[in-house]
Amino acid sequence: MPYYLVHYTYGIEYSREGIPMELQVPIPVGGGRWRCLLASPFPAPEPPPWYPGQVGEWSLDKRHYMGHYPPTALLPPPACAHDRAFVLTQLINNASAALTIAGTWPDAKGGSPNTYHTLPLRAPPASGTGPRSISGTGPWSISGTGPWSISGVGAGRPFRLDGVFFLGHGFVTSSKGHGRWAPAGEGDTIDVQVCAHSMRLRLIRGAPDAPGWRLQTEGNTGWGGRDEVQASAALAAPAEAMRLWALPPRPAPDETSLRVEGTGPYRGSAGSAYLLRAGVLLATGGEIGQFRRWRALTPSTLLFYNGADDADPATAAANPAATAPTPAATADCARGVCVELTD
């Protein structure tokens, strides 16, 4: 019988949410500087000569099976993964199933794609209506906020990160790349790993007449004792966003909001957007750059607009039923622009 060889050079790496991990590691650019995409400190003093992508929480890579065959029925990739991941997984599963029936698929097998790595700072979910709900007080107040600017000294070298957003699922984005964050336990403290720096930061809220938020390192050792860090951060969000975030965090009002709250950036010809906590939209450029609020209208439609509405947490407390989309609201996109959600 004929045999066919599948040779896919690069590993297919995703987080459990379907975020690609390829080529997201610190890369030296000379002069002691690094181009940081996803914080992944190298255990050795010097990085390896080849810079592979970080191994994902779902990882389909020929290097996992250099000494044994893949198992039958490989687990499928995350729902938001690229089609290539689904196609290649299905091809391998079809081949292994056929060869098992023929009695020619060996018993010595490696692990399934979800067994090779777990991202750091995987925190338990916040309390609320679902696993991605942003609710409660303390460090969860930070989730779905930005942009922050973080500056300090780590391992004897100054660093600065602008455009930092603390997103859902423990992800951090910045002008220089991505990282991870999680609540650090009691109090308003979080652990952060970004651009090869790890740090423990405490949230300091301003007074009612001066509502600015700051982050300050706790002591001078990063979480896990990895490096010496002194850092501080300031939140540079619009005044309306600060007003909304100063209110007690509330669970997302519907399943669509629960899914997308604290995510981004979404980029395209219409501009770039972060869907932040309490319906705050941070959009730049293109058609959507003029809007500052978002809300879910249907399971597949969001409204970008300006001005308060019944979903505003400041008014929702007086009218909880108003947080649910109505048929009239669903049909009316004249207040701004409606965008479609696609996987």
Side-chain angles (χ1 to χ4, degrees):
M1 62 180 296
Y3 289 89
Y4 299 92
L5 177 66
V6 176
H7 184 158
Y8 203 88
T9 299
Y10 299 105
I12 304 177
E13 316 289 347
Y14 288 97
S15 75
R16 66 178 64 164
E17 298 84 17
I19 297 176
M21 312 297 290
E22 288 99 326
L23 303 178
Q24 299 189 33
V25 295
I27 298 175
V29 295
R33 295 182 297 112
W34 294 73
R35 181 170 177 259
C36 303
L37 295 179
L38 176 65
S40 178
F42 293 102
E46 296 295 331
W50 179 60
Y51 308 105
Q54 182 173 352
V55 175
E57 294 175 303
W58 189 91
S59 175
L60 187 60
D61 189 338
K62 65 183 181 182
R63 295 161 188 83
H64 298 321
Y65 308 109
M66 300 293 279
H68 35 242
Y69 284 65
T72 55
L74 292 170
L75 290 179
C80 293
H82 191 274
D83 288 350
R84 62 174 182 164
F86 289 93
V87 170
L88 190 55
T89 301
Q90 185 176 11
L91 288 173
I92 295 173
N93 283 343
N94 288 346
S96 64
L99 293 173
T100 297
I101 294 173
T104 57
W105 193 257
D107 291 330
K109 301 175 178 66
S112 203
N114 68 329
T115 61
Y116 291 99
H117 184 59
T118 298
L119 288 176
L121 300 180
R122 272 289 182 196
S127 60
T129 59
R132 293 174 299 238
S133 180
I134 299 171
S135 64
T137 57
W140 290 110
S141 301
I142 301 171
S143 189
T145 65
W148 296 79
S149 292
I150 303 177
S151 60
V153 177
R157 293 181 178 178
F159 69 92
R160 180 180 178 89
L161 298 171
D162 294 314
V164 178
F165 290 84
F166 294 101
L167 302 177
H169 304 292
F171 285 98
V172 178
T173 65
S174 78
S175 59
K176 294 184 179 178
H178 307 316
R180 300 285 303 165
W181 78 276
E186 298 297 327
D188 290 347
T189 57
I190 60 173
D191 288 328
V192 179
Q193 184 190 65
V194 63
C195 253
H197 295 293
S198 60
M199 62 197 85
R200 177 160 291 180
L201 300 169
R202 176 177 293 277
L203 173 63
I204 303 172
R205 295 177 176 85
D209 58 342
W213 287 11
R214 294 185 297 115
L215 291 168
Q216 191 72 40
T217 44
E218 288 275 278
N220 63 350
T221 303
W223 66 272
R226 292 193 178 181
D227 54 7
E228 298 291 320
V229 175
Q230 290 282 359
S232 62
L235 179 57
E240 176 64 7
M242 294 300 302
R243 182 187 71 82
L244 293 169
W245 293 339
L247 299 170
R250 302 173 62 252
D254 53 75
E255 287 296 322
T256 303
S257 298
L258 178 65
R259 175 187 174 193
V260 301
E261 184 177 56
T263 62
Y266 299 88
R267 294 192 177 104
S269 59
S272 174
Y274 284 89
L275 307 179
L276 302 177
R277 182 160 65 80
V280 172
L281 172 69
L282 190 94
T284 57
E287 181 184 0
I288 64 174
Q290 60 183 303
F291 301 113
R292 295 295 175 263
R293 300 295 304 278
W294 71 272
R295 66 176 300 187
L297 298 182
T298 73
S300 61
T301 306
L302 301 180
L303 172 66
F304 291 176
Y305 66 100
N306 289 317
D309 69 354
D310 289 337
D312 188 329
T315 60
N319 185 14
T323 60
T326 64
T330 301
D332 184 13
C333 293
R335 300 175 56 190
V337 60
C338 283
V339 298
E340 296 299 314
L341 288 171
T342 59
D343 288 331

